[in-house]
Amino acid sequence: MATETLIERLAPIQKSFFQKVNQQFDSAARFTTHPRGMLEQIKICNSSCHFTFPIKRDDGTIETLHGWRAEHSHHKLPTKGGIRYSTLVNEDEIMALAALMTYKCAIVDVPFGGAKGGIQLDRCEYSESELERITRRYTYELIQKNYIGPGVDVPAPDFGTSETEMAWMLDTYLGMAADKLDAIACVTGKPIEQNGIRGRKEATGRGVFFGLREACAIAEDMKRLGLSTGLPGKTVVVQGFGNVGYHAAKFLSEGEAIVTGIIEIDGALYNPEGLDVEKVFACREESGSIRNYPDATLIDNPQDGLELACDILVPAAVENQITAENAPRLKARILAEAANGPTTAAADEHLKQRNMLILPDTYLNAGGVTVSYFEWLRNLSHVRFGRLGRRFEENQYKSMLQAVEKATGYQFSSTEIALIGHGADENDLVDSGLEDTMITAYHEIRETHRRRCPAADLRTASFITAIDKIAEAYLQLGIFP
Ligand code: NAD
């Protein structure tokens, strides 16, 4: 009864997305001792820009579009955050997502302030060449307003954009940049052949996998949820089968979790024995919809998919999907927030009271910005990761194997030599850096939770971790003597 009263009290308060993020910030700030002025500075959005620009449609008509870029925090530079193409884009959403980027970067120790940008459009209504003109014009606006640059603000892909848009942004920036030396670091998430980095496309989904694997490995936490320890055998439902959702599903099933449900905008698939993630992907590529996948029950109303029986629910689509209305019917024990802001404040309160484990977005989807950081570093250093050390490592390993053979008489097979004697290349280093980041950050926020706010949740703990690190950065800048 007490639970219902609290949820009823929270449900009618329709907070904006940015207000919701700030509410989460305030809940965490109570557990810190930073001066009020410092907390205000951390919380506020430093700058935000709304601009309109015309584009010529293929039929010759002129249309005006609305775009935004918000830089939430300049405590570290450049600022960093994705570009979103969606009809729902608005200034409040962009500021909220920029704020989440600030906290996310701090949680995973990536030295950027947070930013976000977007254009209000439905990309399905535009041809490829129209999207190129829109992206180039948007980039031009960012350049004019000093909202892009390798040391200023570095965009990346987000909902509705991909490496293609990043390549157009890079080309537009390169054409106009006065200093060409580091200009390739003006965006991340670029195609590999245009100075992108191996592993960026799959990074957010891969990070979701590493985060979930780490959380499921802690016996004490799993016992509290009534689950066995370890990822293998756990059932998973994923909402959104785009970049993040597809890669999360792929890596989770490779890690022996069973992906039993996939939810898309036009329907959901369910198979308690497990879906073949690659086949669902191929089916969508060929036919345009997951609905045509044969080996599953088709659920017409996608929202019903969120309520399927499973151990882990992975929202990887858009915000506000888990609400006070559907939260009581969720069956999952772990909510893995791969999307940004998928849970409303009222739903959050309800799930907490049901002792569900919520892996917050500020931590769980930080894999993308982590690998973006590696890409930015690679672009600025002008050297491919692994170039300097790989041969040296391989020669060292070879010598060691030969010494072992000589001492023991054992002959290593060519497969063993290839496995043990392999020096780290860019793929290996990016993957290892991402794995280390997700594991370290998880234990950091879990420890903060245990020591500083045991009665709260991991979301609060992740905000406390972020606030402490940003406050420290401000102190180092000498802004708050
Ligand atoms: P995307 O555009 O590649 O994919 C989104 C998918 O969700 C699409 O297939 C779309 O059809 C589907 N979708 C939209 N609304 C839906 C609904 N109501 N129900 C079911 N499916 C729906 O976008 P993405 O890059 O995968 O981003 C997904 C989420 O992850 C966003 O919240 C984004 O901010 C967040 N995120 C993305 C990255 C990244 O590297 N791309 C990094 C961090 C966070």
Side-chain angles (χ1 to χ4, degrees):
M1 193 60 202
T3 309
E4 277 177 24
T5 315
L6 182 57
I7 289 157
E8 277 163 14
R9 195 154 54 75
L10 286 170
I13 307 168
Q14 290 295 328
K15 290 211 180 298
S16 80
F17 191 5
F18 192 36
Q19 281 174 328
K20 190 185 95 174
V21 173
N22 286 338
Q23 193 183 11
Q24 291 165 351
F25 178 97
D26 291 338
S27 308
R30 289 204 313 267
F31 294 94
T32 73
T33 53
H34 304 296
R36 179 194 284 263
M38 166 86 86
L39 291 169
E40 280 305 313
Q41 172 54 38
I42 295 174
K43 187 165 81 165
I44 205 159
C45 182
N46 286 174
S47 66
S48 161
C49 184
H50 171 205
F51 42 93
T52 56
F53 55 92
I55 68 128
K56 196 172 184 178
R57 302 288 309 250
D58 290 343
D59 64 5
T61 57
I62 304 289
E63 194 176 301
T64 302
L65 289 172
H66 293 257
W68 288 266
R69 184 77 180 167
E71 293 175 356
H72 172 261
S73 178
H74 295 126
H75 73 287
K76 294 214 167 163
L77 287 174
T79 52
K80 186 94 189 71
I83 303 284
R84 193 171 258 222
Y85 286 1
S86 153
T87 50
L88 301 175
V89 164
N90 59 59
E91 185 161 25
D92 178 83
E93 180 190 66
I94 293 299
M95 290 200 303
L97 291 165
L100 285 177
M101 282 304 297
T102 295
Y103 307 129
K104 197 178 297 183
C105 290
I107 288 164
V108 290
D109 277 328
V110 163
F112 297 138
K116 204 78 177 189
I119 309 178
Q120 197 179 68
L121 57 77
D122 177 356
R123 61 171 299 134
C124 303
E125 287 180 6
Y126 297 87
S127 69
E128 175 93 353
S129 64
E130 286 173 336
L131 286 169
E132 178 169 353
R133 287 201 291 281
I134 291 167
T135 307
R136 286 182 182 279
R137 180 60 201 244
Y138 176 81
T139 312
Y140 172 82
E141 296 291 336
L142 294 180
I143 296 167
Q144 292 303 310
K145 294 167 175 66
N146 199 27
Y147 270 84
I148 186 170
V152 178
D153 188 351
V154 181
D158 190 67
F159 187 91
T161 59
S162 68
E163 58 181 28
T164 309
E165 284 74 20
M166 298 308 114
W168 291 329
M169 292 188 84
L170 171 66
D171 188 51
T172 309
Y173 186 84
L174 277 174
M176 295 179 69
D179 178 3
K180 307 271 190 230
L181 180 65
D182 290 331
I184 49 168
C186 73
V187 283
T188 59
K190 301 179 289 287
I192 288 167
E193 48 295 347
Q194 276 167 286
N195 290 292
I197 197 167
R198 283 171 181 77
R200 172 59 184 90
K201 202 185 197 169
E202 53 269 49
T204 307
R206 183 107 177 114
V208 168
F209 159 71
F210 285 135
L212 267 168
R213 191 189 65 184
E214 203 54 27
C216 292
I218 300 174
E220 183 191 341
D221 295 354
M222 291 303 107
K223 194 171 166 203
R224 186 177 57 76
L225 297 172
L227 297 173
S228 59
T229 308
L231 191 59
K234 291 218 165 33
T235 52
V236 182
V237 171
V238 179
Q239 183 203 35
F241 203 50
N243 181 18
V244 178
Y246 159 67
H247 285 109
K250 170 186 155 77
F251 293 120
L252 286 167
S253 72
E254 284 172 13
E256 294 177 44
I258 307 166
V259 177
T260 53
I262 292 176
I263 309 165
E264 250 301 324
I265 199 149
D266 55 350
L269 300 173
Y270 180 62
N271 183 340
E273 302 302 316
L275 297 161
D276 185 324
V277 174
E278 292 306 335
K279 283 192 182 153
V280 178
F281 184 80
C283 167
R284 211 253 312 257
E285 287 293 285
E286 281 156 25
S287 71
S289 171
I290 63 165
R291 292 178 66 90
N292 302 310
Y293 181 73
D295 301 324
T297 305
L298 177 65
I299 300 165
D300 277 319
N301 179 4
Q303 289 307 106
D304 292 346
L306 295 169
E307 298 165 27
L308 286 166
C310 62
D311 297 319
I312 304 169
L313 177 62
V314 185
V318 284
E319 50 260 26
N320 295 332
Q321 295 303 294
I322 321 287
T323 62
E325 198 277 318
N326 63 12
R329 298 191 298 276
L330 297 194
K331 315 236 172 14
R333 296 297 295 132
I334 301 175
L335 180 66
E337 293 186 337
N340 283 309
T343 314
T344 66
D348 206 29
E349 197 53 49
H350 178 91
L351 299 176
K352 249 186 305 191
Q353 289 178 14
R354 274 178 50 192
N355 271 328
M356 197 162 174
L357 177 64
I358 302 175
L359 301 184
D361 49 2
T362 39
Y363 159 69
L364 195 68
N365 67 32
V369 74
T370 302
V371 176
S372 274
Y373 169 47
F374 300 157
E375 179 177 336
W376 181 77
L377 286 176
R378 184 199 140 145
N379 293 159
L380 293 181
S381 68
H382 302 271
V383 64
R384 167 174 48 81
F385 290 145
R387 178 168 176 184
L388 300 183
R390 185 173 165 193
R391 292 286 162 197
F392 178 77
E393 281 171 22
E394 285 182 1
N395 290 336
Q396 293 287 88
Y397 298 146
K398 219 178 276 170
S399 309
M400 268 191 291
L401 292 178
Q402 280 164 359
V404 172
E405 282 180 339
K406 208 166 158 191
T408 62
Y410 179 79
Q411 281 286 307
F412 289 103
S413 68
S414 54
T415 321
E416 283 170 327
I417 292 173
L419 195 71
I420 310 168
H422 159 80
D425 61 16
E426 185 166 280
N427 254 329
D428 299 316
L429 292 170
V430 166
D431 203 48
S432 137
L434 176 59
E435 182 175 14
D436 184 62
T437 301
M438 295 307 292
I439 292 174
T440 307
Y442 188 67
H443 288 282
E444 198 169 358
I445 59 172
R446 189 175 174 276
E447 194 52 22
T448 302
H449 178 233
R450 201 181 63 75
R451 283 190 300 106
R452 307 260 298 270
C453 58
D457 57 2
L458 286 179
R459 192 188 312 282
T460 306
S462 72
F463 270 84
I464 294 173
T465 308
I467 292 169
D468 284 351
K469 290 184 185 177
I470 299 165
E472 195 185 320
Y474 271 122
L475 288 175
Q476 281 168 3
L477 287 174
I479 292 175
F480 292 91

